[in-house]
Amino acid sequence: MSKARAGNFFEDFSAGEVILHGLPRTLTSSDQTLYTALYGSRFTLQQSEDFAQRVGYPKAPLDDLLVFHMVFGKTVNDISLNAIANLGYADCHFLRPVYAGDTLIAESRIIGLKENSSGKSGTVHVRSKGINQKGETVLEFVRWVMVRKREERASCQSVEPPRLPEAVDAESLGGACPPLAIAAWNWTEAGATHRLGDYHAGERIDHIDGMTVEEAEHMMAARLYHNNARVHFNAWQERAGRFGKRIVYGGHAMSMARALTHNGLANAFHVAAINGGRHVAPLFAGDTVFAWSEILETRELPGRSDVGGLRILTRATRDQPAGEFPRLAAKENVPGVILELDYWALMPI
Amino acid sequence: MSKARAGNFFEDFSAGEVILHGLPRTLTSSDQTLYTALYGSRFTLQQSEDFAQRVGYPKAPLDDLLVFHMVFGKTVNDISLNAIANLGYADCHFLRPVYAGDTLIAESRIIGLKENSSGKSGTVHVRSKGINQKGETVLEFVRWVMVRKREERASCQSVEPPRLPEAVDAESLGGACPPLAIAAWNWTEAGATHRLGDYHAGERIDHIDGMTVEEAEHMMAARLYHNNARVHFNAWQERAGRFGKRIVYGGHAMSMARALTHNGLANAFHVAAINGGRHVAPLFAGDTVFAWSEILETRELPGRSDVGGLRILTRATRDQPAGEFPRLAAKENVPGVILELDYWALMPI
Amino acid sequence: MSKARAGNFFEDFSAGEVILHGLPRTLTSSDQTLYTALYGSRFTLQQSEDFAQRVGYPKAPLDDLLVFHMVFGKTVNDISLNAIANLGYADCHFLRPVYAGDTLIAESRIIGLKENSSGKSGTVHVRSKGINQKGETVLEFVRWVMVRKREERASCQSVEPPRLPEAVDAESLGGACPPLAIAAWNWTEAGATHRLGDYHAGERIDHIDGMTVEEAEHMMAARLYHNNARVHFNAWQERAGRFGKRIVYGGHAMSMARALTHNGLANAFHVAAINGGRHVAPLFAGDTVFAWSEILETRELPGRSDVGGLRILTRATRDQPAGEFPRLAAKENVPGVILELDYWALMPI
């Protein structure tokens, strides 16, 4: 049997199975720099050592979604090499800050399996975590992904996934954020003066700017994350595939959207949890991404007078400006909403 | 009112106003590495720690134009988000070396305002500076940029900008260059043996090589600099715009040209001042950039026997080799000269 | 005479001549990060400081082919600026590990010259080496390259190149690999459990995955390496050239292939020697690269019980999956084999 792996298919997974993923990676400041170059991330805490240390971090932490992608990327080779589509994420907790110099590995547990009626694929539910060189869990999340079967007739497990909370409990937020000296928070440097109390539930913010994605960019990003899912890289094969072209890694759209939200949410410095994320339509090179956000809730955090939680639903679109706050998901291959991301960000009170 | 900003329009500026820009950034060696990958910068001082330390730097400084773009980039969000065109730069002084680990912020003063006769836009003259984490000014320059008005009927200030020197005074050069041990200058490593005395006013150098620019490259560069001017990123919008496509950040052309000049100016190791720079035509992805230089002047610097000033006028073209030393500016959208950059470089005597 | 150099032509070389190349470069972790982003390199030793230190390296070494490209790149300006084609490599030894922080220079000796019957070009044989800041040779290799003549009538030296060994002697392998504690080798982290003894001569491995190359990627890579050969960068000129478009640096294909081989050769952690490499057809942006490997030989190394040598012949194709193990070289401009790379990798016993 060949030593090269074609990846797991739906019938290869068993509920309860724990997979320790390979490919640990030591993150450095150059991962952050490349991340900045790929998305235009401008949240000051992650960009300035000076700012970070003044407010109480030992040094500037890496962008939260960079950490998410690094952990996600490690799971791909075992979980989703034969994925048809990433359907969603939920119950995602950022538990500890990650700094340049940290080495991350990833581990996943299969928590649900549901064959599709077609008999050709099924949905795998998996809880994954990222672990640093000290053995500390830095990130944990659930995702569900549609995976091909190798053989239509293969018999498969069917296990109902556990019910997930509609949103991460605000009481649990903040593990990745040390106590901050908000008096030292330089609002000019951060890019805006809005604090948590300036936002209210129901508020809608058009982030205005649009950013076009290129093939070289999303492939460089996915490789940086060790995400080797085939649909992102192989134009030759995808020419005969479902869309006739490579599909951009869904997380790339998340990071593009997060970067765009700086214009309106400049002090939402830390993604503390992802309540739910759905890629409602694919993104392709050449498309221009826009974003708008709806404020769902603001929350104080127990025992903290420095920062609070801002629950945000950011929608990203392709080839459609967000000024009219589009809510309807796009049909595939037409302009419209591509991503709905419901998350908790932390913000100075 | 939305918390997302559409940026300042011409009528929003007041002469004398000082704007402290946000988004400080800690530069690292990976900014230099990415800069090298984007332009092919080969000036040895910035590429080799070993070379830099042998000649007297505490460590390799970052490329001067990388520093320029970082400072420029920070000003965009406040000054030129609604720019129609960057018209020019002048009186630009590199005052202190910038090293990996330094954190830069930027500050600007509005020094001139002139409405256009159309009533739809005006020219903003601004003096900007970059400041490091110790509060030292590392770079200072004037630029003028045509900015849209929000409302045609809005009344605007009209203030004559101060007269700028035709060139930076050679006596003032060299602040960003410590005393150098030229005996330790390795000419082989530097790539050529030409010293200041080998150049003469009127000499013309075709830098020969051509380099094509790609969308992914100029967008990664601009994002690295936190330059978020809309025309560089939004293909969807620009399809309906003036040129039907994204426009490359003018500074990208400057860095491409500077990198090309290594072939003929290998020992012009440091850009000490920019006397004047003009983007005479736009640059687009797919275009190939060439460059040629005219030596304007050589100058000894007061109190220095290590290095002197070489005043250079570099012209960059698009889709036109520079062997015939083209001087005429291109019309927009046709091949020809796109950039005229008059600057002082330092070179061993 | 202009100070810009058009590069050496065939008649400019003399046998025995030693050329000390310019442009030393200090490599950093961001070179490795960018390399990972460009190729998706996943060999764990180079990706994880933690893994590297556990098995006995002082820190994670840089990818071997990254080092190869850096040294190769420095030779281009003197050797192959006017190359028509890189014909091959051989007798390539990786002699010492290279780490972030090391500064490399390069030196070449002309060892053979053979004019082509056309009188328009000739083949230059050159032995190049890379030297670190301590004066230690880290890498040595022979390459032969077809170089244009400046003038057809110019007289040229003709010197038979020395005979090269068909393969690097296995006895000499391992200089760049310290003694390793294989008990600390984490097979899960490395991505597979196969040791040297699990491979056998004649075994063929389809590495399955395909990866498309973009213009921005190969140009960024070549610039990172200071490889300024004209055919890679100048779309304007190449439109009128042999293929009508830019040609991807051959080493880019080597690194793409090496990265793809991780799927099947995950523990072949170190390229210790290149026995022979041939670019049998060009690669262009937009092409998708696949790879397959044939195991030629496994060898114990004298005095080492930690690692042994695995001799591998990796063939890369463009726009042709490798599942049927294609051996025939492509004609230019059609799908098929583009690269044959015969090398020794080290692998835990």
Side-chain angles (χ1 to χ4, degrees):
Chain A
M1 202 178 115
S2 174
K3 294 180 177 75
R5 297 174 52 200
N8 289 317
F9 290 85
F10 182 70
E11 61 264 44
D12 298 327
F13 294 101
S14 312
E17 181 187 7
V18 174
I19 301 172
L20 185 53
H21 306 292
L23 311 177
R25 200 148 169 258
T26 303
L27 305 187
T28 69
S29 65
S30 58
D31 289 286
Q32 179 62 50
T33 299
L34 199 43
Y35 185 87
T36 300
L38 287 166
Y39 304 109
S41 181
R42 296 185 288 152
F43 293 93
T44 300
L45 178 68
Q46 289 84 11
Q47 298 287 320
S48 167
E49 289 294 338
D50 210 40
F51 183 97
Q53 291 175 23
R54 267 187 269 126
V55 300
Y57 279 81
K59 55 182 180 171
L62 300 179
D63 256 278
D64 304 298
L65 293 187
L66 170 58
V67 172
F68 177 84
H69 300 323
M70 286 287 177
V71 174
F72 181 101
K74 299 197 177 323
T75 71
V76 167
N77 199 47
D78 297 306
I79 304 294
S80 50
L81 215 53
N82 296 300
I84 296 165
N86 266 307
L87 301 173
Y89 316 93
D91 204 22
C92 171
H93 302 247
F94 290 84
L95 297 167
R96 275 186 182 75
V98 177
Y99 300 106
D102 286 350
T103 300
L104 297 187
I105 57 170
E107 186 185 292
S108 297
R109 177 186 293 268
I110 307 302
I111 58 171
L113 291 167
K114 189 165 187 182
E115 195 179 353
N116 286 333
S117 55
S118 70
K120 294 182 177 167
S121 59
T123 300
V124 180
H125 296 251
V126 59
R127 183 178 289 277
S128 299
K129 54 187 180 182
I131 301 164
N132 69 16
Q133 71 283 2
K134 298 177 207 161
E136 301 164 338
T137 298
V138 298
L139 171 67
E140 195 174 328
F141 62 95
V142 169
R143 74 163 159 143
W144 47 106
V145 51
M146 196 189 299
V147 177
R148 268 189 202 86
K149 288 176 72 177
R150 188 186 290 105
E151 294 179 40
E152 215 171 310
R153 289 170 305 176
S155 70
C156 310
Q157 278 198 339
S158 178
V159 176
E160 190 68 20
R163 254 193 92 123
L164 297 174
E166 182 256 343
V168 170
D169 185 355
E171 307 270 313
S172 75
L173 301 176
C177 176
L180 299 188
I182 299 303
W185 192 272
N186 185 320
W187 304 87
T188 302
E189 291 193 356
T193 57
H194 310 108
R195 299 160 172 268
L196 186 66
D198 295 323
Y199 292 85
H200 60 269
E203 183 174 352
R204 299 186 301 183
I205 303 167
D206 170 17
H207 301 298
I208 301 175
D209 303 300
M211 188 152 62
T212 306
V213 62
E214 299 293 325
E215 299 282 13
E217 293 167 0
H218 75 83
M219 291 201 301
M220 286 182 70
R223 284 186 296 240
L224 186 71
Y225 313 143
H226 282 161
N227 176 338
N228 57 335
R230 295 183 172 126
V231 291
H232 309 319
F233 296 104
N234 188 330
W236 184 86
Q237 185 167 62
E238 294 307 317
R239 251 172 247 140
R242 196 162 139 221
F243 299 106
K245 50 189 169 182
R246 282 165 280 180
I247 303 167
V248 174
Y249 161 48
H252 201 74
M254 287 165 56
S255 282
M256 291 178 79
R258 166 78 176 150
L260 291 171
T261 65
H262 185 273
N263 190 6
L265 290 164
N267 290 302
F269 66 94
H270 166 47
V271 175
I274 298 175
N275 302 310
R278 293 198 311 134
H279 299 295
V280 295
L283 176 67
F284 305 105
D287 291 348
T288 300
V289 172
F290 298 85
W292 71 276
S293 294
E294 186 170 350
I295 303 303
L296 300 182
E297 193 180 348
T298 65
R299 282 288 291 268
E300 292 191 8
L301 304 186
R304 294 196 78 144
S305 55
D306 53 349
V307 297
L310 184 67
R311 188 172 166 198
I312 306 165
L313 173 55
T314 294
R315 285 184 177 85
T317 62
R318 67 184 191 93
D319 288 355
Q320 181 180 6
E324 298 183 10
F325 307 112
R327 283 170 184 280
L328 287 181
K331 289 186 212 164
E332 286 182 348
N333 254 336
V334 303
V337 175
I338 57 168
L339 169 74
E340 294 177 336
L341 192 68
D342 173 347
Y343 56 106
W344 285 107
L346 298 196
M347 192 175 260
I349 289 175
Chain B
M1 202 180 116
S2 174
K3 294 180 177 77
R5 296 175 51 202
N8 289 317
F9 290 84
F10 182 70
E11 62 264 44
D12 298 326
F13 294 101
S14 312
E17 182 187 5
V18 173
I19 301 172
L20 185 52
H21 306 292
L23 311 178
R25 201 150 167 256
T26 304
L27 305 187
T28 69
S29 64
S30 59
D31 290 286
Q32 179 61 51
T33 300
L34 199 43
Y35 185 86
T36 301
L38 287 166
Y39 303 110
S41 182
R42 295 185 290 151
F43 293 93
T44 300
L45 178 68
Q46 288 83 12
Q47 298 287 321
S48 167
E49 289 293 339
D50 209 40
F51 183 97
Q53 291 175 22
R54 267 187 269 127
V55 299
Y57 279 82
K59 55 182 181 172
L62 300 178
D63 255 278
D64 304 298
L65 292 188
L66 169 58
V67 173
F68 177 85
H69 300 322
M70 285 287 178
V71 174
F72 182 101
K74 299 196 176 325
T75 71
V76 167
N77 199 47
D78 297 307
I79 304 293
S80 51
L81 215 53
N82 296 301
I84 296 165
N86 265 306
L87 301 173
Y89 316 92
D91 204 22
C92 170
H93 302 248
F94 290 84
L95 297 168
R96 275 186 182 76
V98 176
Y99 299 106
D102 286 350
T103 300
L104 297 187
I105 57 171
E107 186 185 292
S108 297
R109 176 184 294 267
I110 308 301
I111 59 170
L113 291 166
K114 190 166 187 181
E115 194 177 354
N116 286 334
S117 55
S118 70
K120 293 181 177 167
S121 59
T123 301
V124 180
H125 296 252
V126 59
R127 182 177 290 277
S128 299
K129 53 186 180 182
I131 301 164
N132 68 17
Q133 71 283 3
K134 298 177 206 160
E136 300 164 339
T137 300
V138 298
L139 171 67
E140 195 174 328
F141 63 94
V142 169
R143 73 162 158 145
W144 48 106
V145 51
M146 196 188 301
V147 176
R148 269 189 202 86
K149 288 177 71 177
R150 188 186 288 106
E151 294 179 39
E152 216 170 309
R153 289 170 306 175
S155 70
C156 309
Q157 277 198 339
S158 179
V159 174
E160 190 68 20
R163 255 194 93 125
L164 297 175
E166 181 256 342
V168 169
D169 185 355
E171 307 270 314
S172 76
L173 301 176
C177 176
L180 298 189
I182 300 302
W185 192 271
N186 185 322
W187 305 88
T188 301
E189 290 193 356
T193 57
H194 310 109
R195 298 160 172 268
L196 186 65
D198 295 323
Y199 292 84
H200 59 271
E203 183 175 352
R204 298 187 301 184
I205 303 166
D206 171 17
H207 301 298
I208 301 175
D209 303 300
M211 188 154 60
T212 306
V213 62
E214 299 293 326
E215 300 282 13
E217 292 168 359
H218 76 83
M219 291 201 301
M220 285 182 69
R223 283 185 297 239
L224 186 71
Y225 313 143
H226 282 161
N227 177 338
N228 57 334
R230 293 181 174 127
V231 291
H232 309 319
F233 296 104
N234 189 329
W236 184 86
Q237 184 166 63
E238 293 307 317
R239 251 170 246 141
R242 197 164 138 220
F243 299 106
K245 51 189 168 182
R246 283 165 279 180
I247 303 167
V248 175
Y249 161 48
H252 201 75
M254 287 165 56
S255 282
M256 291 179 79
R258 165 78 175 150
L260 291 171
T261 65
H262 185 272
N263 190 6
L265 289 164
N267 290 301
F269 66 94
H270 167 47
V271 175
I274 298 175
N275 302 309
R278 292 199 310 135
H279 298 294
V280 296
L283 176 66
F284 305 105
D287 290 349
T288 300
V289 172
F290 299 85
W292 71 276
S293 294
E294 187 169 351
I295 304 303
L296 300 182
E297 194 179 349
T298 64
R299 284 286 293 268
E300 292 190 8
L301 304 186
R304 295 196 77 145
S305 57
D306 52 350
V307 297
L310 183 68
R311 187 172 166 197
I312 306 164
L313 174 55
T314 295
R315 286 185 177 85
T317 62
R318 66 184 192 94
D319 288 355
Q320 181 180 5
E324 298 183 11
F325 307 113
R327 283 170 184 280
L328 287 181
K331 288 186 212 163
E332 284 183 348
N333 254 337
V334 302
V337 175
I338 57 168
L339 169 74
E340 294 177 338
L341 192 68
D342 174 347
Y343 56 108
W344 284 108
L346 298 196
M347 192 176 261
I349 289 176
Chain C
M1 201 179 116
S2 175
K3 295 181 176 77
R5 298 174 52 202
N8 290 316
F9 290 83
F10 182 70
E11 62 263 44
D12 298 327
F13 293 101
S14 312
E17 181 187 6
V18 174
I19 301 172
L20 185 53
H21 305 293
L23 310 178
R25 203 154 165 252
T26 304
L27 305 187
T28 68
S29 64
S30 58
D31 289 286
Q32 179 61 50
T33 300
L34 199 43
Y35 186 86
T36 300
L38 287 165
Y39 304 109
S41 181
R42 295 184 289 151
F43 293 94
T44 299
L45 177 69
Q46 289 82 11
Q47 298 288 320
S48 167
E49 289 294 338
D50 209 40
F51 183 96
Q53 291 175 22
R54 267 188 270 127
V55 299
Y57 279 81
K59 55 182 180 172
L62 300 179
D63 255 279
D64 304 297
L65 293 187
L66 169 58
V67 172
F68 177 86
H69 300 323
M70 286 287 177
V71 175
F72 181 101
K74 299 198 177 323
T75 72
V76 167
N77 199 46
D78 297 307
I79 304 293
S80 50
L81 215 53
N82 296 300
I84 296 166
N86 265 306
L87 301 173
Y89 316 92
D91 205 22
C92 171
H93 302 248
F94 291 84
L95 298 167
R96 274 185 182 77
V98 176
Y99 300 106
D102 286 349
T103 301
L104 298 186
I105 57 171
E107 187 185 292
S108 297
R109 176 184 295 268
I110 308 301
I111 59 169
L113 292 166
K114 190 166 187 182
E115 195 178 354
N116 286 333
S117 55
S118 69
K120 293 182 178 166
S121 60
T123 301
V124 180
H125 296 251
V126 59
R127 182 177 289 278
S128 299
K129 53 186 181 182
I131 301 164
N132 69 17
Q133 71 283 2
K134 299 178 206 160
E136 300 164 339
T137 299
V138 298
L139 171 67
E140 194 174 328
F141 63 96
V142 169
R143 73 161 159 145
W144 48 107
V145 51
M146 196 189 301
V147 176
R148 268 189 202 87
K149 288 177 72 178
R150 188 185 290 105
E151 294 180 38
E152 214 170 311
R153 289 170 304 176
S155 71
C156 310
Q157 278 199 339
S158 178
V159 174
E160 191 67 22
R163 255 194 91 123
L164 298 174
E166 182 256 341
V168 169
D169 186 354
E171 307 271 313
S172 75
L173 301 176
C177 175
L180 298 188
I182 299 302
W185 192 272
N186 185 321
W187 304 88
T188 301
E189 291 193 356
T193 57
H194 310 109
R195 298 160 172 268
L196 187 65
D198 295 323
Y199 293 84
H200 60 271
E203 183 173 353
R204 298 187 301 184
I205 303 167
D206 170 16
H207 302 298
I208 301 174
D209 303 300
M211 188 154 60
T212 305
V213 61
E214 299 293 325
E215 300 282 14
E217 292 168 0
H218 76 84
M219 292 201 301
M220 285 181 70
R223 284 185 296 238
L224 186 71
Y225 313 143
H226 283 162
N227 176 339
N228 58 334
R230 292 182 175 126
V231 291
H232 309 319
F233 297 105
N234 189 330
W236 184 87
Q237 185 166 63
E238 294 306 317
R239 250 170 248 141
R242 197 162 138 221
F243 299 106
K245 51 190 168 182
R246 282 164 280 179
I247 303 167
V248 175
Y249 161 49
H252 201 75
M254 287 166 55
S255 282
M256 291 178 79
R258 166 77 176 149
L260 292 171
T261 66
H262 185 274
N263 190 7
L265 290 164
N267 290 302
F269 67 93
H270 166 47
V271 175
I274 298 175
N275 302 310
R278 292 198 312 134
H279 298 294
V280 295
L283 176 66
F284 305 105
D287 291 349
T288 300
V289 172
F290 299 85
W292 71 276
S293 295
E294 186 170 351
I295 304 303
L296 300 181
E297 193 180 349
T298 64
R299 284 287 292 268
E300 292 190 8
L301 304 186
R304 295 197 76 146
S305 56
D306 53 348
V307 297
L310 184 68
R311 188 173 165 197
I312 307 164
L313 172 56
T314 295
R315 286 184 177 84
T317 62
R318 67 184 191 94
D319 288 355
Q320 181 181 4
E324 298 183 12
F325 307 113
R327 284 170 184 281
L328 288 180
K331 289 187 212 163
E332 285 181 347
N333 253 336
V334 303
V337 176
I338 56 169
L339 169 74
E340 294 177 339
L341 193 67
D342 173 347
Y343 55 107
W344 284 109
L346 298 196
M347 192 176 260
I349 288 176

